[in-house]
């Protein structure tokens, strides 16, 4: 059965909402007459790539042994540790940067509580620590899934041919992990390229920080557009290389999983070592924020919390609803009516998410100022941009639910005379509802944490939790930032705990 034109209309609008700002950004940068080969861009490129490479290398060295211990060994509490290891994703990266800054230095928490004042990290080192603590779960999740799917019979066969553990790892296991390493590594690099909060707070000048300086401090819109286009180009290059480097999928495990290697007396020590990684990442913002929030004397800051929370919710909730509503037609098209156009629309949805927020937001700034200036810095535009940027996060759980829905049920209902609307309401809706809720919650969490889009497009007087936390931290007012960081962390952890429960519902 052909897809209804009513399905294509919202899909076309969503695709246009992704493409138009990026195309307008390109036009604005070209019209600005910026010299793309100017030497001023080369140091920015070198610093950006250096940070991305350093974070990726540390993530690999951290995530690979963590995934191995959780999947392949009899690690005590391995199920709980697998959940704990991904919880840092619920925190915004700039919250971890806040934790580093608020805990260290002569007036930091460590100095006040223990009398020890370690130097306050900044620049490359500070940005590297915060980003590693935030991004390692992306690689861990990919490697954990790949190790669990690896057929142990391949290793057994290599062992029977006289290959030792090291040879089996490098000849059998590591090549099989290449797709997970490339896929997870691409996500890590994209997050580093897109990061704005961490590099800004640590004063490490990457493309994102340079865009911020050009737009906010120097008001050089042409140069900001050119820098944003450089950043977008780097992101697209990463996506292209990932697609080329990924090897074809190997056959998955068909038999029992690999036997768990005993740890013996090293079990408790391994448990502590694995648990220390996520606990450090979680404690980094929570402990300093909790300490300063408890000592906060300025009641007006605490009184500002409900207002900041309300303004965050006024954007995050409608953005989540709009994103889910727009993702539903595309989920139906891509799973029930697959084809070239549906595939292109799906890739465009992921392009909007993969685009660095500063580049994407600047495209909307220039687009609105050129054609609809009355929309610039209004709440409807901010909600729209949030919904478009996080569109892919709503699409993922929905597509998974639609793929798990047997088409025979819908065909049987149509054979009994049910119309399209009745099939949707009686067959699809009850089965995809958990995916709708999970996707909406993921978008809600992303919108609550979002910083660069709010910085570029928020209305005058708009002060979300993210903006308040960033502004106070940037001014080194760590006690005043504490309640906002703490509430953001609690919202993130609470949402992260609900998402798996929603996805399990039938």
């Amino acid at each position: 059965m052909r897809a209804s034109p009513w399905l294509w209309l919202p899909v076309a609008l969503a695709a246009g909402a992704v493409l138009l700002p990026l195309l307008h950004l390109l036009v604005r940068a070209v019209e600005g007459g910026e010299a793309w080969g100017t030497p001023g861009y080369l140091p920015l490129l070198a610093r950006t790539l250096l940070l991305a490479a350093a974070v990726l290398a540390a993530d690999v060295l951290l995530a690979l042994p963590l995934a191995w211990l959780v999947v392949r060994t009899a690690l005590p509490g391995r199920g709980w540790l697998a959940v704990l290891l991904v919880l840092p994703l619920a925190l915004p990266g700039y919250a971890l940067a806040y934790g580093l800054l608020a805990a260290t230095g002569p007036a930091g928490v460590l100095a006040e509580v223990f009398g020890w004042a370690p130097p306050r990290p900044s620049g490359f080192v500070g940005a590297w620590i915060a980003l590693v603590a935030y991004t390692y779960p992306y690689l861990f999740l990919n490697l954990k899934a790949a190790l669990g799917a690896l057929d142990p019979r391949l290793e057994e066969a290599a062992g029977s041919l006289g290959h030792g553990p090291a040879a089996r790892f490098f000849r059998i296991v590591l090549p099989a992990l290449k797709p997970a390493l490339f896929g997870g590594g691409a996500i890590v690099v994209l997050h580093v390229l897109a990061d704005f909060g961490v590099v800004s707070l640590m004063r490490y000048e990457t493309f994102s920080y340079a865009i911020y300086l050009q737009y906010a401090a120097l008001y050089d819109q042409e140069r900001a557009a050119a820098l944003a286009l450089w950043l977008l180009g780097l992101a697209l290059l990463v996506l292209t290389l990932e697609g080329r480097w990924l090897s074809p999928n190997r056959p998955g495990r068909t038999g029992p999983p690999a036997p768990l290697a005993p740890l013996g007396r090293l079990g408790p020590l391994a448990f502590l070592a694995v648990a220390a990684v996520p606990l450090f990442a979680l404690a980094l913002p929570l402990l300093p924020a909790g300490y300063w929030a408890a000592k906060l004397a300025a009641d007006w800051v605490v009184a500002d919390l409900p207002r900041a929370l309300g303004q965050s919710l006024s954007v995050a909730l409608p953005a989540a609803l709009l994103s889910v509503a727009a993702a539903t037609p595309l989920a139906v098209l891509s799973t029930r009516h697959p084809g070239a156009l549906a595939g292109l629309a799906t890739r465009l949805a992921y392009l909007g998410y993969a685009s660095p927020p500063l580049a994407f937001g600047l495209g909307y700034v220039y687009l609105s100022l050129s054609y609809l200036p009355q929309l610039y810095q209004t709440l409807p535009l901010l909600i729209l941009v949030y919904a478009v940027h996080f569109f892919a996060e709503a699409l993922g759980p929905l597509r998974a639910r639609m793929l798990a829905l047997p088409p025979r049920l819908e065909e049987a209902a149509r054979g009994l005379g049910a119309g399209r609307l009745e099939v949707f309401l009686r067959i699809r809706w009850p089965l995809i509802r958990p995916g709708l809720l999970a996707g909406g919650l993921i978008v809600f969490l992303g919108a609550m944490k979002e910083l660069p889009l709010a910085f570029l497009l928020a209305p005058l007087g708009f002060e979300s939790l993210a903006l308040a936390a960033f502004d106070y931290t940037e001014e080194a007012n760590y006690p005043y930032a504490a309640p906002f960081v703490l509430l953001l962390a609690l919202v993130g952890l609470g949402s992260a705990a609900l998402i798996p429960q929603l996805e399990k519902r039938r």
Side-chain angles (χ1 to χ4, degrees):
M1 182 179 291
R2 296 180 61 183
S4 167
W6 294 108
L7 281 177
W8 282 108
L9 179 60
V11 169
L13 290 174
V18 172
L19 274 179
L20 285 177
L22 298 180
L23 292 175
H24 199 75
L25 179 66
L26 173 63
V27 171
R28 184 62 178 266
V30 171
E31 287 179 348
E34 278 288 326
W36 297 99
T38 180
Y41 291 123
L42 297 182
L44 278 177
L45 179 63
R47 284 192 291 268
T48 303
L49 294 179
L50 175 63
L51 181 61
V55 171
L56 179 59
D59 281 348
V60 171
L61 294 175
L62 195 60
L64 184 54
L66 289 174
W68 184 272
L69 285 168
V70 168
V71 175
R72 288 298 190 91
T73 70
L75 182 69
R78 52 199 289 265
W80 286 102
L81 287 174
V83 175
L84 186 64
L85 281 163
V86 300
L87 283 183
L89 290 180
L91 306 175
Y94 52 85
L96 280 81
Y98 162 84
L100 281 173
L101 296 170
T104 55
V109 171
L110 292 176
E112 285 218 0
V113 177
F114 302 106
W116 175 49
R120 181 164 286 154
S122 61
F124 174 83
V125 174
W128 177 73
I129 295 173
L131 286 170
V132 169
Y134 171 63
T135 58
Y136 83 85
Y138 291 110
L139 259 175
F140 169 77
L141 285 170
N142 279 265
L143 292 170
K144 175 176 173 288
L147 282 170
L150 184 61
D151 195 334
R153 291 176 297 182
L154 298 174
E155 298 169 70
E156 294 168 3
S160 66
L161 294 174
H163 295 289
R168 292 198 299 270
F169 177 79
F170 285 104
R171 293 189 179 187
I172 304 296
V173 177
L174 197 56
L177 296 181
K178 282 173 61 179
L181 286 169
F182 287 139
I187 296 173
V188 168
V189 172
L190 286 173
H191 274 275
V192 175
L193 294 178
D195 177 74
F196 161 72
V198 173
V199 295
S200 298
L201 293 175
M202 293 298 176
R203 301 295 191 267
Y204 181 74
E205 193 171 354
T206 62
F207 274 110
S208 291
Y209 188 38
I211 294 170
Y212 165 67
L213 292 177
Q214 292 296 326
Y215 184 82
L218 301 177
Y219 302 103
D220 190 342
Q221 294 189 2
E222 283 72 21
R223 186 169 174 82
L227 290 169
L229 209 56
W230 267 85
L231 189 59
L232 180 62
L234 284 176
L236 294 177
L237 177 63
V238 170
L239 291 174
T240 303
L241 291 177
E242 182 216 9
R244 290 194 173 188
W245 288 344
L246 280 179
S247 58
N249 290 332
R250 295 172 178 264
R253 174 171 57 83
T254 56
L260 299 178
L263 293 175
R265 294 180 180 179
L266 293 177
L269 183 61
F271 173 84
L272 293 176
V274 172
V277 175
L279 289 178
F280 169 77
L282 294 172
L284 198 57
L286 292 177
L287 293 183
Y291 175 82
W292 287 124
K295 289 193 66 175
L296 195 62
D299 292 338
W300 67 270
V301 175
V302 178
D304 262 9
L305 270 179
R307 183 175 66 87
L309 177 61
Q311 296 205 335
S312 294
L313 292 174
S314 71
V315 175
L317 285 173
L321 292 173
L322 181 59
S323 192
V324 167
T328 302
L330 181 54
V332 174
L333 276 174
S334 61
T335 57
R336 293 296 180 264
H337 308 280
L341 287 177
L344 177 61
T346 302
R347 286 191 289 273
L348 285 176
Y350 284 96
L351 173 63
Y353 182 66
S355 301
L358 274 177
F360 196 66
L362 271 179
Y364 264 101
V365 167
Y366 300 143
L367 187 66
S368 61
L369 288 176
S370 298
Y371 300 105
L372 290 170
Q374 62 271 25
L375 275 181
Y376 176 61
Q377 289 190 322
T378 62
L379 211 58
L381 180 62
L382 185 60
I383 291 169
L384 172 65
V385 177
Y386 274 19
V388 175
H389 178 63
F390 294 111
F391 183 66
E393 291 195 330
L395 182 63
L398 273 172
R399 290 187 78 239
R401 281 282 168 170
M402 287 296 301
L403 289 170
L405 175 62
R408 293 188 301 273
L409 293 177
E410 302 171 58
E411 293 167 2
R414 290 195 189 99
L416 294 173
R420 295 178 189 270
L421 182 60
E422 189 176 4
V423 168
F424 178 82
L425 293 176
R426 300 187 64 178
I427 304 295
R428 288 178 183 166
W429 171 254
L431 294 175
I432 69 171
R433 186 168 52 199
L436 286 166
L437 294 173
L441 188 55
I442 294 172
V443 174
F444 168 79
L445 175 57
M448 288 290 289
K449 298 188 301 180
E450 178 57 35
L451 179 63
L453 292 178
F455 166 75
L456 290 173
L457 294 161
L460 295 177
F462 182 87
E463 188 79 350
S464 65
L465 291 172
L467 287 172
F470 178 81
D471 289 342
Y472 282 123
T473 304
E474 191 179 34
E475 296 168 1
N477 286 330
Y478 307 120
Y480 295 123
F484 302 98
V485 172
L486 193 60
L487 187 53
L488 269 175
L490 294 176
V491 169
L493 292 172
S495 301
L498 282 175
I499 290 169
Q501 302 304 316
L502 293 174
E503 291 179 330
K504 289 179 183 177
R505 291 176 59 183
R506 294 290 185 268

